[in-house]
Amino acid sequence: MRRFFEKVTETILAFSSAITSIAIVLIVVFLFKEGLGLFSSPSVEKGYALYLHSSNGVKDLSVTDIKNIFDSEVVSWAELGGRDEEIMIFRFDEIFSLYSDEELGENYEHLPDKLAQVIRENPNIIAFLPEKYAPVNVSEVKALPYKNISLSDFFGRKEWMPTATPAPLFGVLPLLLGTLLVSIVAILIALPLGLGVAIYLSELAGERVRKLMKPTIELLAGIPSVVYGFFGLVVLVPIVQDTLNLPVGETALTGSIILAIMALPTIITVAEDALRNTPGAMREASLALGATRWQTIYKVVVPYSVSGISAAVVLGIGRAIGETMAVLMVTGNAAVMPASLLESVRTIPATIAAELGEAPAGGAHYRSLFLLGSILFVITMIISVAAEVISKKQHKSV
């Protein structure tokens, strides 16, 4: 009977492990499948196209060219290789101010003809029209060819404007750099502090102090991130703004401080457990050879515990990189290239949280957010693998 229950327990554990592994694989596959679908999306808003007069010599426009035209930063066709004429921007809804409902028809059956007439009468026009109503087989009208969103459009551009029309911009650089800036500075703050506290609790603190501090620190890890964000917004933001004389306090520095505070409990708890697992015989041998208490700590205890300390670092970095609400509340949420810690930034997790609810399912914006999640997954995986390799090498050298 005992053997039977052991077999059943082993089967249940094996089944649970298999189900968990399959679920993780399926999540990763779904994440990358949705994200990589972005590169099959058109660079112009789906269902729309750009139309020119056939006499216009411009044959192709990049996403940047389209943005500059519709932002009035480029106002002449000569700047794009065409004639020296002012660009006339025409949007679809303008047709309803030019013609009455009777002229357009009860079911808008005359709409394509009227749009063709507008383009025919304005050789310098660029019209942003839905393909459903666009004029076809009209000699004076030509549609600009457009390509799918490319890797260079996503990874090489500096503008994140996923709702811009007619051509949304999915430049991930400001989000990626903002995430790395905030996370790296947070770890630089949290790691020495966390390791110092862990060493104190493990090697120096009395039993009464340790029993008081350890549960308190572990309790901090359970505080919801939105509470940390509210604390940062109400307390830290005014302090940073007043101390550094900034126009706003929602900066990358504020986000880094909040993330450091949030990562500290994880780093302290994991590192302290690793340090306390060092065999007492090693400490005693070091002291017996004449080493001081501090020499024993940084030459024996810390090197022996490097694997656990590396795990603490990885968990701390993962907490920093993947944090959403707190960062969203205190960094200013500005998708611009970060120039310093004293400017507002936006991170990848904050972008996903802020925009996923408004992105149409299956659209380019929706897929781009899944691709951002894929980038986070890759970054975390690289950090974990690197930390594992480093800890194994250091552990062998001890």
Side-chain angles (χ1 to χ4, degrees), residues 71-147:
D71 287 348
S72 299
E73 295 178 10
V74 172
V75 296
S76 174
W77 285 115
E79 300 178 58
L80 303 170
R83 295 191 298 260
D84 188 12
E85 295 180 338
E86 183 180 355
I87 299 175
M88 174 185 171
I89 300 173
F90 184 85
R91 293 178 173 84
F92 176 65
D93 54 358
E94 296 179 30
I95 194 69
F96 299 101
S97 63
L98 298 177
Y99 298 96
S100 64
D101 292 341
E102 291 77 12
E103 291 176 300
L104 297 176
E106 182 178 354
N107 296 315
Y108 299 120
E109 61 271 14
H110 302 309
L111 188 53
D113 295 333
K114 298 302 181 183
L115 291 170
Q117 182 178 342
V118 172
I119 297 175
R120 189 183 298 115
E121 294 174 352
N122 298 277
N124 60 334
I125 196 172
I126 179 170
F128 176 53
L129 308 175
E131 295 177 328
K132 178 180 179 181
Y133 295 111
V136 294
N137 300 323
V138 179
S139 59
E140 293 88 350
V141 179
K142 69 175 182 180
L144 274 178
Y146 55 83
K147 303 175 183 178

Side-chain angles (χ1 to χ4, degrees), residues 343-365:
E343 294 183 358
S344 297
V345 297
R346 178 189 283 188
T347 64
I348 290 177
T351 301
I352 297 173
E355 298 181 5
L356 187 59
E358 301 176 357
H365 188 190

